Amino acid sequence: MGTPKRSLGGTLEPPESSWFPRKVTASGLAGTRPFVRVGCVTGSGELTHVDASGAARMVDVSAKDVTAREARAAGRFVTTPEVIALLRRDGLPKGDALAVARIAGIAAAKRTPDLVPLCHPVALHGVSVDLTLTDDSVEIVATTRTADRTGVEMEALTSVVTAGLALYDMVKAVDRSARLTDVRLLAKSGGRSGTWTAPS
């Protein structure tokens, strides 16, 4: 692999033979660039959050129909059996961790456009966060609902991640090695693309 060099304008340019990705254009990959601008991928394999030149954009959804939309996402907060026992009896130093995580997930869903820059502000009509205790984990499932011109998948995913972060904050005094894993979209419905369910 070669060594990156700095251009006259101060921009760090990748070497000719390196793993640095190239710029995304309408016709494919062209021109060595240090970063790739990315966005959502449609069923046709096209990125919707980039224009023909590869520049980031906020998708215009004004022509779409207002429909009922729902999304469900999940994640797993892995910890120790001892922490699970503390959660069951509300024995953590900071108090009711499950209640805090649930409220954090709901609040985060409503703030998704502030955290993910190209997300549309959506009037959420419902958010639920379900937390299920197993022997060594907390299973997190967030469901978001709206009647709008765009979906609420990112809101559901943001809810799961933030609920997991809140759980970590609550348990880190007794388990700093706890981790949030397997964050994923489970299903979505509504809109032009209809219903989608994650492969089992």
Side-chain angles (χ1 to χ4, degrees):
M1 183 182 294
T3 303
K5 56 187 178 181
R6 195 168 295 278
S7 68
L8 291 177
T11 303
L12 192 64
E13 296 291 342
E16 289 298 322
S17 58
S18 76
W19 54 265
F20 280 81
R22 298 172 182 272
K23 179 181 177 183
V24 176
T25 67
S27 59
L29 298 176
T32 303
R33 294 292 296 273
F35 302 103
V36 172
R37 300 183 176 99
V38 298
C40 297
V41 180
T42 66
S44 62
E46 297 177 348
L47 297 173
T48 60
H49 280 312
V50 295
D51 61 21
S53 68
R57 65 171 183 174
M58 188 173 184
V59 178
D60 183 356
V61 298
S62 59
K64 291 187 175 183
D65 294 330
V66 173
T67 64
R69 299 167 186 264
E70 180 176 307
R72 191 160 45 92
R76 176 176 294 113
F77 183 78
V78 181
T79 184
T80 65
E82 291 76 19
V83 169
I84 295 299
L86 290 172
L87 290 171
R88 292 186 188 278
R89 67 173 188 265
D90 193 16
L92 289 166
K94 286 190 174 183
D96 189 345
L98 298 180
V100 171
R102 190 174 292 110
I103 294 300
I106 293 170
K110 298 191 293 184
R111 300 298 298 271
T112 300
D114 296 331
L115 303 170
V116 184
L118 298 182
C119 278
H120 295 82
V122 173
L124 285 171
H125 295 162
V127 181
S128 63
V129 178
D130 298 313
L131 306 172
T132 304
L133 299 179
T134 70
D135 290 341
D136 61 356
S137 70
V138 181
E139 303 295 326
I140 308 168
V141 177
T143 304
T144 50
R145 298 181 182 88
T146 190
D148 214 312
R149 289 182 167 86
T150 191
V152 284
E153 296 96 304
M154 294 306 301
E155 284 75 6
L157 289 163
T158 300
S159 179
V160 167
V161 171
T162 307
L165 289 173
L167 280 173
Y168 185 85
D169 180 53
M170 297 295 286
V171 311
K172 69 180 186 291
V174 290
D175 181 19
R176 292 190 182 277
S177 65
R179 63 193 186 277
L180 180 64
T181 69
D182 300 326
V183 176
R184 64 212 183 272
L185 183 69
L186 297 177
K188 58 82 62 179
S189 63
R192 189 178 302 166
S193 60
T195 300
W196 177 88
T197 303
S200 57

